[in-house]
Amino acid sequence: MSSNNNQLNVPQAKEAMERFKMECANEVGVNLKQGYNGDLTSREAGSVGGQMVKKMIESYENSMK
């Protein structure tokens, strides 16, 4: 049995984070659907997460200028 410990620090951001995740998945060519995506390979899931982190770091660096 698995449990999801991924909780947002700002629960009101859930919808925006879902849109961001879908946008990043689209950019790396991973077909996400609403709801359960447990059929993704580790490589696909990792590429989405990696793209999200890359974009967040890029955004932070741009805000420092």
Side-chain angles (χ1 to χ4, degrees):
M1 182 155 98
S2 70
S3 63
N4 186 350
N5 293 325
N6 297 330
Q7 296 181 358
L8 296 174
N9 289 331
V10 181
Q12 297 82 357
K14 183 174 179 138
E15 188 176 315
M17 288 301 292
E18 282 296 316
R19 283 193 310 268
F20 181 56
K21 179 171 61 173
M22 292 295 200
E23 176 186 318
C24 290
N26 191 17
E27 289 175 6
V28 295
V30 174
N31 185 24
L32 284 186
K33 53 191 173 293
Q34 293 293 338
Y36 180 74
N37 283 286
D39 55 340
L40 293 180
T41 65
S42 296
R43 179 182 211 113
E44 290 171 323
S47 66
V48 173
Q51 182 70 2
M52 291 175 73
V53 170
K54 179 180 174 183
K55 289 184 74 148
M56 284 186 258
I57 291 170
E58 184 179 291
S59 175
Y60 182 76
E61 287 175 345
N62 287 333
S63 74
M64 295 174 67
K65 292 180 182 178

